[in-house]
PDB file of all heavy atoms in Angstrom:
ATOM      1  N   ALA V   1       0.826  -1.202   0.000  1.00  0.00           N
ATOM      2  CA  ALA V   1       0.000   0.000   0.000  1.00  0.00           C
ATOM      3  C   ALA V   1       0.862   1.255   0.000  1.00  0.00           C
ATOM      4  O   ALA V   1       0.573   2.230  -0.719  1.00  0.00           O
ATOM      5  CB  ALA V   1      -0.937  -0.003   1.206  1.00  0.00           C
ATOM      6  N   MET V   2       1.920   1.259   0.778  1.00  0.00           N
ATOM      7  CA  MET V   2       2.809   2.424   0.839  1.00  0.00           C
ATOM      8  C   MET V   2       3.467   2.680  -0.516  1.00  0.00           C
ATOM      9  O   MET V   2       3.551   3.819  -0.973  1.00  0.00           O
ATOM     10  CB  MET V   2       3.872   2.216   1.913  1.00  0.00           C
ATOM     11  CG  MET V   2       3.345   2.210   3.336  1.00  0.00           C
ATOM     12  SD  MET V   2       2.689   3.819   3.857  1.00  0.00           S
ATOM     13  CE  MET V   2       4.164   4.827   3.862  1.00  0.00           C
ATOM     14  N   ASN V   3       3.935   1.618  -1.166  1.00  0.00           N
ATOM     15  CA  ASN V   3       4.586   1.774  -2.465  1.00  0.00           C
ATOM     16  C   ASN V   3       3.601   2.201  -3.546  1.00  0.00           C
ATOM     17  O   ASN V   3       3.975   2.884  -4.502  1.00  0.00           O
ATOM     18  CB  ASN V   3       5.273   0.469  -2.867  1.00  0.00           C
ATOM     19  CG  ASN V   3       6.569   0.241  -2.111  1.00  0.00           C
ATOM     20  OD1 ASN V   3       7.432   1.111  -2.061  1.00  0.00           O
ATOM     21  ND2 ASN V   3       6.716  -0.917  -1.494  1.00  0.00           N
ATOM     22  N   ALA V   4       2.335   1.812  -3.385  1.00  0.00           N
ATOM     23  CA  ALA V   4       1.320   2.180  -4.371  1.00  0.00           C
ATOM     24  C   ALA V   4       0.854   3.612  -4.198  1.00  0.00           C
ATOM     25  O   ALA V   4       0.677   4.342  -5.188  1.00  0.00           O
ATOM     26  CB  ALA V   4       0.127   1.226  -4.270  1.00  0.00           C
ATOM     27  N   GLU V   5       0.638   4.048  -2.954  1.00  0.00           N
ATOM     28  CA  GLU V   5       0.044   5.357  -2.696  1.00  0.00           C
ATOM     29  C   GLU V   5       1.069   6.459  -2.450  1.00  0.00           C
ATOM     30  O   GLU V   5       0.780   7.639  -2.633  1.00  0.00           O
ATOM     31  CB  GLU V   5      -0.908   5.266  -1.495  1.00  0.00           C
ATOM     32  CG  GLU V   5      -2.005   4.209  -1.633  1.00  0.00           C
ATOM     33  CD  GLU V   5      -3.058   4.573  -2.668  1.00  0.00           C
ATOM     34  OE1 GLU V   5      -2.865   5.546  -3.411  1.00  0.00           O
ATOM     35  OE2 GLU V   5      -4.086   3.876  -2.731  1.00  0.00           O
ATOM     36  N   LEU V   6       2.285   6.091  -2.024  1.00  0.00           N
ATOM     37  CA  LEU V   6       3.342   7.074  -1.762  1.00  0.00           C
ATOM     38  C   LEU V   6       4.651   6.604  -2.399  1.00  0.00           C
ATOM     39  O   LEU V   6       5.679   6.481  -1.729  1.00  0.00           O
ATOM     40  CB  LEU V   6       3.528   7.254  -0.248  1.00  0.00           C
ATOM     41  CG  LEU V   6       2.341   7.858   0.507  1.00  0.00           C
ATOM     42  CD1 LEU V   6       2.489   7.636   2.005  1.00  0.00           C
ATOM     43  CD2 LEU V   6       2.187   9.343   0.187  1.00  0.00           C
ATOM     44  N   PRO V   7       4.650   6.350  -3.690  1.00  0.00           N
ATOM     45  CA  PRO V   7       5.836   5.757  -4.323  1.00  0.00           C
ATOM     46  C   PRO V   7       7.081   6.619  -4.216  1.00  0.00           C
ATOM     47  O   PRO V   7       8.181   6.111  -3.967  1.00  0.00           O
ATOM     48  CB  PRO V   7       5.404   5.566  -5.781  1.00  0.00           C
ATOM     49  CG  PRO V   7       4.270   6.522  -5.992  1.00  0.00           C
ATOM     50  CD  PRO V   7       3.560   6.588  -4.669  1.00  0.00           C
ATOM     51  N   GLY V   8       6.930   7.918  -4.392  1.00  0.00           N
ATOM     52  CA  GLY V   8       8.089   8.794  -4.318  1.00  0.00           C
ATOM     53  C   GLY V   8       8.697   8.844  -2.938  1.00  0.00           C
ATOM     54  O   GLY V   8       9.922   8.842  -2.783  1.00  0.00           O
ATOM     55  N   GLY V   9       7.845   8.898  -1.914  1.00  0.00           N
ATOM     56  CA  GLY V   9       8.342   8.914  -0.550  1.00  0.00           C
ATOM     57  C   GLY V   9       9.122   7.660  -0.204  1.00  0.00           C
ATOM     58  O   GLY V   9      10.185   7.722   0.428  1.00  0.00           O
ATOM     59  N   MET V  10       8.618   6.505  -0.635  1.00  0.00           N
ATOM     60  CA  MET V  10       9.301   5.246  -0.343  1.00  0.00           C
ATOM     61  C   MET V  10      10.620   5.146  -1.115  1.00  0.00           C
ATOM     62  O   MET V  10      11.626   4.671  -0.583  1.00  0.00           O
ATOM     63  CB  MET V  10       8.388   4.081  -0.687  1.00  0.00           C
ATOM     64  CG  MET V  10       7.135   4.018   0.184  1.00  0.00           C
ATOM     65  SD  MET V  10       7.489   3.788   1.948  1.00  0.00           S
ATOM     66  CE  MET V  10       7.956   2.050   1.962  1.00  0.00           C
ATOM     67  N   THR V  11      10.613   5.608  -2.360  1.00  0.00           N
ATOM     68  CA  THR V  11      11.854   5.607  -3.146  1.00  0.00           C
ATOM     69  C   THR V  11      12.886   6.536  -2.544  1.00  0.00           C
ATOM     70  O   THR V  11      14.065   6.180  -2.412  1.00  0.00           O
ATOM     71  CB  THR V  11      11.560   6.031  -4.598  1.00  0.00           C
ATOM     72  OG1 THR V  11      10.684   5.078  -5.203  1.00  0.00           O
ATOM     73  CG2 THR V  11      12.841   6.110  -5.416  1.00  0.00           C
ATOM     74  N   LEU V  12      12.442   7.727  -2.173  1.00  0.00           N
ATOM     75  CA  LEU V  12      13.374   8.713  -1.630  1.00  0.00           C
ATOM     76  C   LEU V  12      13.937   8.260  -0.297  1.00  0.00           C
ATOM     77  O   LEU V  12      15.119   8.472  -0.005  1.00  0.00           O
ATOM     78  CB  LEU V  12      12.675  10.066  -1.478  1.00  0.00           C
ATOM     79  CG  LEU V  12      13.571  11.238  -1.056  1.00  0.00           C
ATOM     80  CD1 LEU V  12      14.703  11.445  -2.058  1.00  0.00           C
ATOM     81  CD2 LEU V  12      12.748  12.503  -0.917  1.00  0.00           C
ATOM     82  N   MET V  13      13.104   7.625   0.535  1.00  0.00           N
ATOM     83  CA  MET V  13      13.585   7.110   1.811  1.00  0.00           C
ATOM     84  C   MET V  13      14.732   6.128   1.577  1.00  0.00           C
ATOM     85  O   MET V  13      15.779   6.193   2.233  1.00  0.00           O
ATOM     86  CB  MET V  13      12.445   6.438   2.575  1.00  0.00           C
ATOM     87  CG  MET V  13      12.824   5.867   3.935  1.00  0.00           C
ATOM     88  SD  MET V  13      13.341   4.127   3.872  1.00  0.00           S
ATOM     89  CE  MET V  13      11.792   3.359   3.391  1.00  0.00           C
ATOM     90  N   ALA V  14      14.565   5.217   0.632  1.00  0.00           N
ATOM     91  CA  ALA V  14      15.635   4.254   0.329  1.00  0.00           C
ATOM     92  C   ALA V  14      16.869   4.965  -0.216  1.00  0.00           C
ATOM     93  O   ALA V  14      18.006   4.616   0.137  1.00  0.00           O
ATOM     94  CB  ALA V  14      15.125   3.223  -0.671  1.00  0.00           C
ATOM     95  N   ASP V  15      16.670   5.971  -1.075  1.00  0.00           N
ATOM     96  CA  ASP V  15      17.806   6.727  -1.615  1.00  0.00           C
ATOM     97  C   ASP V  15      18.592   7.415  -0.508  1.00  0.00           C
ATOM     98  O   ASP V  15      19.829   7.423  -0.524  1.00  0.00           O
ATOM     99  CB  ASP V  15      17.307   7.784  -2.610  1.00  0.00           C
ATOM    100  CG  ASP V  15      16.810   7.190  -3.915  1.00  0.00           C
ATOM    101  OD1 ASP V  15      17.095   6.006  -4.184  1.00  0.00           O
ATOM    102  OD2 ASP V  15      16.124   7.921  -4.658  1.00  0.00           O
ATOM    103  N   MET V  16      17.884   8.003   0.449  1.00  0.00           N
ATOM    104  CA  MET V  16      18.571   8.700   1.542  1.00  0.00           C
ATOM    105  C   MET V  16      19.378   7.735   2.384  1.00  0.00           C
ATOM    106  O   MET V  16      20.512   8.018   2.771  1.00  0.00           O
ATOM    107  CB  MET V  16      17.552   9.462   2.396  1.00  0.00           C
ATOM    108  CG  MET V  16      16.954  10.680   1.704  1.00  0.00           C
ATOM    109  SD  MET V  16      15.874  11.692   2.750  1.00  0.00           S
ATOM    110  CE  MET V  16      14.401  10.659   2.842  1.00  0.00           C
ATOM    111  N   LEU V  17      18.819   6.570   2.671  1.00  0.00           N
ATOM    112  CA  LEU V  17      19.545   5.589   3.471  1.00  0.00           C
ATOM    113  C   LEU V  17      20.733   5.014   2.702  1.00  0.00           C
ATOM    114  O   LEU V  17      21.760   4.670   3.297  1.00  0.00           O
ATOM    115  CB  LEU V  17      18.596   4.465   3.914  1.00  0.00           C
ATOM    116  CG  LEU V  17      17.513   4.880   4.911  1.00  0.00           C
ATOM    117  CD1 LEU V  17      16.614   3.696   5.244  1.00  0.00           C
ATOM    118  CD2 LEU V  17      18.115   5.457   6.188  1.00  0.00           C
ATOM    119  N   ASN V  18      20.619   4.926   1.381  1.00  0.00           N
ATOM    120  CA  ASN V  18      21.723   4.418   0.567  1.00  0.00           C
ATOM    121  C   ASN V  18      22.893   5.392   0.507  1.00  0.00           C
ATOM    122  O   ASN V  18      23.995   5.014   0.087  1.00  0.00           O
ATOM    123  CB  ASN V  18      21.238   4.098  -0.846  1.00  0.00           C
ATOM    124  CG  ASN V  18      20.399   2.837  -0.900  1.00  0.00           C
ATOM    125  OD1 ASN V  18      20.515   1.966  -0.036  1.00  0.00           O
ATOM    126  ND2 ASN V  18      19.552   2.721  -1.914  1.00  0.00           N
ATOM    127  N   CYS V  19      22.659   6.627   0.908  1.00  0.00           N
ATOM    128  CA  CYS V  19      23.732   7.622   0.923  1.00  0.00           C
ATOM    129  C   CYS V  19      24.652   7.479   2.133  1.00  0.00           C
ATOM    130  O   CYS V  19      25.681   8.153   2.215  1.00  0.00           O
ATOM    131  CB  CYS V  19      23.142   9.031   0.904  1.00  0.00           C
ATOM    132  SG  CYS V  19      22.573   9.562  -0.716  1.00  0.00           S
ATOM    133  N   ARG V  20      24.277   6.642   3.065  1.00  0.00           N
ATOM    134  CA  ARG V  20      25.078   6.518   4.290  1.00  0.00           C
ATOM    135  C   ARG V  20      26.444   5.881   4.017  1.00  0.00           C
ATOM    136  O   ARG V  20      26.571   4.968   3.218  1.00  0.00           O
ATOM    137  CB  ARG V  20      24.338   5.650   5.319  1.00  0.00           C
ATOM    138  CG  ARG V  20      23.078   6.247   5.881  1.00  0.00           C
ATOM    139  CD  ARG V  20      22.372   5.242   6.782  1.00  0.00           C
ATOM    140  NE  ARG V  20      21.976   4.045   6.036  1.00  0.00           N
ATOM    141  CZ  ARG V  20      21.630   2.897   6.593  1.00  0.00           C
ATOM    142  NH1 ARG V  20      21.639   2.774   7.903  1.00  0.00           N
ATOM    143  NH2 ARG V  20      21.275   1.869   5.840  1.00  0.00           N
ATOM    144  N   ASP V  21      27.446   6.365   4.709  1.00  0.00           N
ATOM    145  CA  ASP V  21      28.740   5.687   4.801  1.00  0.00           C
ATOM    146  C   ASP V  21      28.736   4.973   6.147  1.00  0.00           C
ATOM    147  O   ASP V  21      29.208   5.492   7.154  1.00  0.00           O
ATOM    148  CB  ASP V  21      29.877   6.697   4.709  1.00  0.00           C
ATOM    149  CG  ASP V  21      31.249   6.040   4.746  1.00  0.00           C
ATOM    150  OD1 ASP V  21      31.311   4.795   4.889  1.00  0.00           O
ATOM    151  OD2 ASP V  21      32.254   6.763   4.648  1.00  0.00           O
ATOM    152  N   ARG V  22      28.146   3.793   6.164  1.00  0.00           N
ATOM    153  CA  ARG V  22      27.763   3.146   7.424  1.00  0.00           C
ATOM    154  C   ARG V  22      28.945   2.842   8.341  1.00  0.00           C
ATOM    155  O   ARG V  22      28.788   2.859   9.568  1.00  0.00           O
ATOM    156  CB  ARG V  22      27.015   1.846   7.123  1.00  0.00           C
ATOM    157  CG  ARG V  22      25.698   2.064   6.373  1.00  0.00           C
ATOM    158  CD  ARG V  22      25.073   0.746   5.990  1.00  0.00           C
ATOM    159  NE  ARG V  22      24.769  -0.068   7.145  1.00  0.00           N
ATOM    160  CZ  ARG V  22      24.471  -1.365   7.087  1.00  0.00           C
ATOM    161  NH1 ARG V  22      24.481  -1.985   5.924  1.00  0.00           N
ATOM    162  NH2 ARG V  22      24.194  -2.036   8.194  1.00  0.00           N
ATOM    163  N   TYR V  23      30.111   2.580   7.788  1.00  0.00           N
ATOM    164  CA  TYR V  23      31.217   2.104   8.619  1.00  0.00           C
ATOM    165  C   TYR V  23      32.288   3.159   8.879  1.00  0.00           C
ATOM    166  O   TYR V  23      33.231   2.898   9.637  1.00  0.00           O
ATOM    167  CB  TYR V  23      31.856   0.874   7.973  1.00  0.00           C
ATOM    168  CG  TYR V  23      30.884  -0.283   7.863  1.00  0.00           C
ATOM    169  CD1 TYR V  23      30.224  -0.544   6.658  1.00  0.00           C
ATOM    170  CD2 TYR V  23      30.604  -1.082   8.966  1.00  0.00           C
ATOM    171  CE1 TYR V  23      29.306  -1.582   6.564  1.00  0.00           C
ATOM    172  CE2 TYR V  23      29.691  -2.128   8.871  1.00  0.00           C
ATOM    173  CZ  TYR V  23      29.052  -2.371   7.671  1.00  0.00           C
ATOM    174  OH  TYR V  23      28.140  -3.399   7.581  1.00  0.00           O
ATOM    175  N   ASN V  24      32.148   4.322   8.281  1.00  0.00           N
ATOM    176  CA  ASN V  24      33.182   5.343   8.443  1.00  0.00           C
ATOM    177  C   ASN V  24      32.669   6.701   8.908  1.00  0.00           C
ATOM    178  O   ASN V  24      33.390   7.426   9.588  1.00  0.00           O
ATOM    179  CB  ASN V  24      33.936   5.543   7.111  1.00  0.00           C
ATOM    180  CG  ASN V  24      34.629   4.275   6.648  1.00  0.00           C
ATOM    181  OD1 ASN V  24      35.554   3.799   7.296  1.00  0.00           O
ATOM    182  ND2 ASN V  24      34.176   3.730   5.523  1.00  0.00           N
ATOM    183  N   ALA V  25      31.439   7.056   8.546  1.00  0.00           N
ATOM    184  CA  ALA V  25      30.950   8.409   8.829  1.00  0.00           C
ATOM    185  C   ALA V  25      30.699   8.623  10.310  1.00  0.00           C
ATOM    186  O   ALA V  25      30.102   7.782  10.989  1.00  0.00           O
ATOM    187  CB  ALA V  25      29.661   8.667   8.057  1.00  0.00           C
ATOM    188  N   THR V  26      31.149   9.759  10.804  1.00  0.00           N
ATOM    189  CA  THR V  26      30.828  10.188  12.170  1.00  0.00           C
ATOM    190  C   THR V  26      29.853  11.358  12.158  1.00  0.00           C
ATOM    191  O   THR V  26      29.290  11.710  13.192  1.00  0.00           O
ATOM    192  CB  THR V  26      32.091  10.612  12.936  1.00  0.00           C
ATOM    193  OG1 THR V  26      32.727  11.685  12.230  1.00  0.00           O
ATOM    194  CG2 THR V  26      33.061   9.431  13.063  1.00  0.00           C
TER     195      THR V  26
END
């Protein structure tokens, strides 16, 4: 339902999390 009704929000959320430098960023 979230992907159907708020596709951009769900895509952008994943994009933002993919920007993380999980093991180095402080």
Side-chain angles (χ1 to χ4, degrees):
M2 292 294 294
N3 284 309
E5 304 290 9
L6 295 165
M10 295 298 286
T11 297
L12 186 59
M13 180 269 294
D15 288 345
M16 289 186 286
L17 292 178
N18 286 336
C19 282
R20 293 175 298 164
D21 182 358
R22 297 175 61 194
Y23 298 99
N24 299 294
T26 59

